[in-house]
Amino acid sequence: MAPRKTKADAAKLEACKKYMRVEGADEDDVIAALMGAAEVYLWGAGILPEWSPPALYNLALWGLTLHYYDHREAVGNESAFPIGLRPVINQLKLTAVSKSDTAEGE
């Protein structure tokens, strides 16, 4: 059985599709899967949505999803990584380190 989609999941997908300029539902499953991969990538980099400014987190999530969507054959090819996204991810990593240091000190 497929996982149940919540209104929050649907809203998150629609926001990402708007950023990507994708209309219709034909690619929803692909985009949702790529968003999941982007979330895993960010999590692996120490970037958690609850520790990140929402605007920057969404920009990173949507940018990675768009990148994966446009370069499906090149996923994992570091040379194909979007240049403008690197500073956003670095900033989010710094925020994550700061938040984790604060959480450990409590």
Side-chain angles (χ1 to χ4, degrees):
M1 182 188 309
R4 188 167 171 245
K5 294 180 181 172
T6 66
K7 286 185 180 183
D9 292 336
K12 194 163 87 169
L13 177 63
E14 287 305 312
C16 186
K17 285 173 51 179
K18 186 175 181 178
Y19 174 84
M20 295 171 64
R21 297 183 182 170
V22 173
E23 296 179 4
D26 293 346
E27 298 281 317
D28 282 5
D29 289 341
V30 171
I31 294 170
L34 295 172
M35 277 181 61
E39 287 177 313
V40 169
Y41 177 89
L42 293 172
W43 178 83
I47 300 167
L48 304 175
E50 60 270 17
W51 288 356
S52 304
L56 279 181
Y57 183 84
N58 288 337
L59 180 61
L61 178 64
W62 300 339
L64 277 173
T65 303
L66 176 60
H67 172 72
Y68 292 161
Y69 183 80
D70 284 344
H71 300 93
R72 285 179 250 184
E73 72 285 346
V75 170
N77 181 353
E78 193 64 28
S79 65
F81 199 82
I83 295 169
L85 201 48
R86 179 78 56 205
V88 171
I89 290 173
N90 287 342
Q91 180 64 44
L92 287 169
K93 283 182 181 182
L94 289 171
T95 301
V97 168
S98 171
K99 295 281 186 174
S100 68
D101 288 348
T102 302
E104 287 175 8
E106 293 177 353

